[in-house]
Amino acid sequence: MADAGATTAIAVGKPLQVQGHATFGGALALLAPASTYQVGEVERLVGYGSRTGTFSSVVYGSGFFYTAELDYGANALDAKLTRTSAAATATARGASATVVEGAAIADSLLDYAAQASRGTGNDSLVELAGQLASVPTVARAEASLASLAAEVHGTARAVAVQQAVAADQLLADRVATLHPANAGAWVSATAQDGAFERRGYADADWRSTGLTVGVDHDFGTLVAGAALGTGRSRADLDAVGGDFDADTLGLNLYARVPAGPGYVSATFGYGRATVDTRRTLLVGDQALGVSARHRDTTWSTRVEAGRNLAEGVTPFAAAGWIAQRQGAFAESGAQGLGLAAGADTASIRYGELGLRLSLLSDNLAFRGLVAGRWLSGDTRAGFGGWFSGAPEAKVSVSGQRVPGHAARAAVGLDYARTPRAHWSVDVGAEQGAGDSSNAYITAGYRYAF
C-alpha cells in the first residue's frame, strides 16, 4: 500500500478497505473531517485481510488539536485520537506569542464545543470550532490562531494609556513654564504619531490629533486654570490584527506655586473616549469580520517639583498616576465567535526625572527638555473575557505592552507678538522600551489678561 519514502493520506471518517494484503510504510497523514463530523475517540482507518509493516509517523491535520496513536489489529488499523492543548503545541513549536495566546483561546472554544449540545442555539459556534480543528496545514492553523488572539483590544488599551501619559506630560510642560504675568486664555492644536513593536505581536501604528482650549488666572502666589480638550486617534495593526479609532473629550485642572528658587505644579485630568474596534477572524477557508464599541474613562494626576540651579537651567522630578477603565463590550458578527468582556480598570504609576532649559532673547523664548520615565502597574494592558456566543468559555486577551521606561526630548519656541499675545510651537519625541516610540508637534496661542 505504501513504501518507506511515501506519505499516505487518509481522511478521518472515510476509512479505506483493502481486499487482501496491505503493506504499510512511510508517514501517515490523517486528514481532518468535515466540520459537521463528530470525531470519535477511536476511528477506523483501514480494513484489510492481512498486513505487513507499520507507519513511521502519524499526524492529525495541522497537529495543533489532536494526537493519534495507531492500533494495528489483525484485520483493521484504528487510530486513537486525543484532543491536545493547542497552546502547549504552539509553545513547543516555538510559535509567536500571538499564536500561543490565540491557541489558548482556541482551547477554550474546543473544550466548550466538546461539551455543548446541538439544537440549543449554539450549532453555528460549534460548527466553527469544528472548522478550526479541521484546518489541514501548520501555516493555516497558525494564521487562524493568531487571528483569534484579539490583540487589537489589548493594543487599543496600551495606546490609550500611552496617550494619557503623553497628555499629562504636555500639560505639565506648559504649566511648569507658565509665568504669572502671562495668565489668561489659550488654545493649542496637537498632532502625534506613534508605534508599538513588541516581539511576537502585530506591529501597531497610531496617530492622533487634538484641540485644547484653556483659561488660567494669577491668584497672587498661585496660578491655576482649567482646560477642555477634544481629539481623535486611529491605529492599524499589521496583517489581520485589526484597527481601531477613538473619539475623546477631556477636562483638565492645573496649578503652579513658587517654592523658593523653584516651583511645584500639579495637574488633574478626566477623559472619556468612544472606541470602535474591527478585526478579522480566519477559520478554515472563511474570513469573518467582527466589530465592537466601548466607552472608556481615564483619570490622571501628576505632581511635579523643579528647582532653578542657574539662569534657564531647571532640573525637575515628577510622579503620576493613571486609571484607565475600559467599558464593557461585545463583538458582533462571526456567529458568536467574537469576544465579549465586562468593564475592567488598569492602574498605572510612573515617575519622571528631567531637565528644563530656557533662553530669552528680546521677544523670543527658546526652551528645551530631556527626561526619563519609569512606569509600573498594569503595563500588560490585558483583560479577561469570553466568547460572545458562549459566556462560559473564558479567554484572556493581551496585545502590545505599555513601555516600562522611556526617554523623551523636546524643543519649543515662544514668540511674544505683543506683551499680551504669544504664539508658540513645540516638537518632541519619545523612545520607549520594546521599540515603542512617538513624536508630536503642537502649536498654540495665548492671550494674557
Side-chain angles (χ1 to χ4, degrees):
M1 185 174 181
D3 57 38
T7 296
T8 301
I10 301 176
V12 172
K14 296 181 178 180
L16 304 180
Q17 184 63 45
V18 177
Q19 301 298 325
H21 187 77
T23 301
F24 298 142
L28 174 61
L30 299 183
L31 305 181
S35 60
T36 54
Y37 182 82
Q38 294 292 318
V39 178
E41 291 186 3
V42 178
E43 290 285 344
R44 176 64 47 86
L45 301 179
V46 185
Y48 44 76
S50 60
R51 64 96 189 173
T52 56
T54 60
F55 289 106
S56 60
S57 63
V58 57
V59 63
Y60 179 99
S62 65
F64 275 96
F65 307 106
Y66 285 91
T67 58
E69 180 182 345
L70 299 181
D71 179 18
Y72 298 89
N75 299 108
L77 171 62
D78 295 332
K80 180 181 179 181
L81 301 178
T82 304
R83 249 274 292 140
T84 190
S85 166
T89 302
T91 301
R93 291 182 174 182
S96 69
T98 305
V99 172
V100 173
E101 291 179 6
I105 292 176
D107 285 337
S108 179
L109 174 65
L110 293 173
D111 289 344
Y112 165 78
Q115 303 296 324
S117 301
R118 287 187 174 272
T120 58
N122 55 12
D123 290 4
S124 295
L125 184 59
V126 172
E127 184 171 338
L128 285 174
Q131 292 178 21
L132 177 64
S134 300
V135 173
T137 67
V138 171
R140 288 175 60 183
E142 288 189 346
S144 294
L145 294 175
S147 75
L148 289 179
E151 58 180 314
V152 66
H153 295 293
T155 298
R157 188 170 210 179
V159 170
V161 173
Q162 176 64 35
Q163 289 180 333
V165 173
D168 278 1
Q169 290 175 164
L170 287 176
L171 181 60
D173 294 345
R174 180 183 298 275
V175 176
T177 57
L178 176 59
H179 193 281
N182 295 329
W186 56 275
V187 59
S188 69
T190 303
Q192 189 171 22
D193 283 334
F196 279 105
E197 296 178 11
R198 180 185 173 196
R199 183 178 176 83
Y201 294 86
D203 293 347
D205 296 312
W206 58 270
R207 62 208 61 86
S208 66
T209 56
L211 180 68
T212 304
V213 295
V215 61
D216 37 52
H217 183 71
D218 179 13
F219 293 94
T221 59
L222 170 72
V223 177
L228 285 173
T230 183
R232 182 172 179 81
S233 59
R234 178 177 175 81
D236 295 288
L237 281 67
D238 286 352
V240 293
D243 63 86
F244 66 88
D245 53 60
D247 294 304
T248 60
L249 182 66
L251 168 67
N252 291 94
L253 304 176
Y254 56 90
R256 182 185 188 276
V257 296
Y263 67 90
V264 175
S265 66
T267 64
F268 173 82
Y270 169 76
R272 301 181 63 180
T274 300
V275 183
D276 292 295
T277 61
R278 295 161 292 272
R279 64 188 180 106
T280 300
L281 301 173
L282 303 179
V283 182
D285 295 325
Q286 297 187 74
L288 307 173
V290 293
S291 61
R293 167 173 287 188
H294 51 88
R295 291 177 170 83
D296 304 344
T297 56
T298 303
W299 298 86
S300 66
T301 186
R302 174 184 168 117
V303 177
E304 178 178 314
R307 182 180 179 86
N308 301 323
L309 294 184
E311 186 67 26
V313 180
T314 307
F316 70 91
W321 169 82
I322 293 173
Q324 196 270 350
R325 183 181 185 274
Q326 177 181 271
F329 70 88
E331 290 182 319
S332 59
Q335 305 169 60
L337 192 58
L339 299 184
D344 184 78
T345 299
S347 180
I348 298 292
R349 301 168 298 279
Y350 68 89
E352 186 175 42
L353 295 175
L355 182 67
R356 300 187 188 279
L357 304 171
S358 63
L359 175 65
L360 297 177
S361 178
D362 297 327
N363 59 346
L364 294 177
F366 302 90
R367 54 183 170 269
L369 174 148
V370 291
R373 186 183 71 240
W374 294 263
L375 186 147
S376 63
D378 299 325
T379 59
R380 182 174 172 269
F383 58 92
W386 55 86
F387 286 100
S388 298
E392 55 268 63
K394 307 300 183 183
V395 302
S396 180
V397 178
S398 185
Q400 292 288 349
R401 186 186 297 271
V402 182
H405 56 271
R408 67 183 180 111
V411 294
L413 172 66
D414 186 277
Y415 169 63
R417 185 171 181 272
T418 70
R420 290 190 174 185
H422 296 250
W423 294 91
S424 64
V425 61
D426 293 86
V427 294
E430 179 178 283
Q431 181 65 49
D435 292 325
S436 66
S437 61
N438 68 83
Y440 70 88
I441 181 170
T442 180
Y445 174 78
R446 170 179 284 276
Y447 187 82
F449 295 148

